[in-house]
Amino acid sequence: MDRRTVYRRFASREDLLAAIYEARLTAIEHAIEDARLREAPVTVALHRYVENIIAVNRTWPVDLTCMLADASVHARRDASIREVDMFLRHATDEGLLRPGLPEGWASALLPQLMHLVSREMPHLSHGQAADVVVDTLLRGLGTP
């Protein structure tokens, strides 16, 4: 896209970045909603969530950290994190995830796995990438 096209639509670089961050946040919220974390069977919801977020990561490969100073962005991000954390606690209660791990370990590990597969395995479809992430999360790297 030509720079003139960008500046006809956005008054500044900051406005462009704000629009990108807004689009990424909205995509994350839709990914969580589409995964039906509260309604679907836990394994189905987990795979769908991971697949959706991998698609978001590949479509909007930007980090929201720069925008976290904005209170509304921070609140939206925190709401999404709380929703996923609640789902992961439910997955532990249902026996899908092993109990007794350090508090927040699954919540910290899952996004890292999704970012890693998004960057390092672009040849995999979103579904195949989600298979790798979910398998790694549920089984770990060691042998049973």
Side-chain angles (χ1 to χ4, degrees), residues 10 15 36 38 47 55 61 67 72 80 89 95 98 102 106 125 141:
F10 301 99
D15 289 348
R36 299 179 42 233
R38 295 180 188 206
H47 194 279
M67 290 295 290
S72 67
S80 294
R89 281 191 298 277
R98 186 173 66 237
S125 71
L141 297 178

Side-chain angles (χ1 to χ4, degrees), residues 68-87:
L68 291 179
D70 182 301
S72 67
V73 170
H74 207 287
R76 287 175 67 189
R77 182 182 149 265
D78 287 351
S80 294
I81 289 172
R82 280 191 304 276
E83 186 75 21
V84 174
D85 285 349
M86 186 171 50
F87 168 73

Side-chain angles (χ1 to χ4, degrees), residues 28-29 31-33 35-38 42 45-46 49-50 53 76-92 97 104 106-111 114 137:
I28 290 168
E29 292 164 347
I32 290 170
E33 183 180 319
R36 299 179 42 233
L37 299 179
R38 295 180 188 206
V42 179
L46 176 62
Y49 167 72
V50 170
I53 294 298
R76 287 175 67 189
R77 182 182 149 265
D78 287 351
S80 294
I81 289 172
R82 280 191 304 276
E83 186 75 21
V84 174
D85 285 349
M86 186 171 50
F87 168 73
L88 291 172
R89 281 191 298 277
H90 177 64
T92 302
L97 298 175
S107 297
L109 183 60
L110 184 56
M114 292 185 294
L137 182 70

Side-chain angles (χ1 to χ4, degrees), residues 13 17-18 21 62-70 73-74 77:
R13 181 180 186 279
L17 289 174
Y21 294 137
V62 295
D63 185 6
L64 292 174
T65 307
C66 298
M67 290 295 290
L68 291 179
D70 182 301
V73 170
H74 207 287
R77 182 182 149 265

Side-chain angles (χ1 to χ4, degrees), residues 6-7 9-18:
V6 170
Y7 284 109
R9 179 144 185 202
F10 301 99
S12 67
R13 181 180 186 279
E14 290 73 28
D15 289 348
L16 170 62
L17 289 174

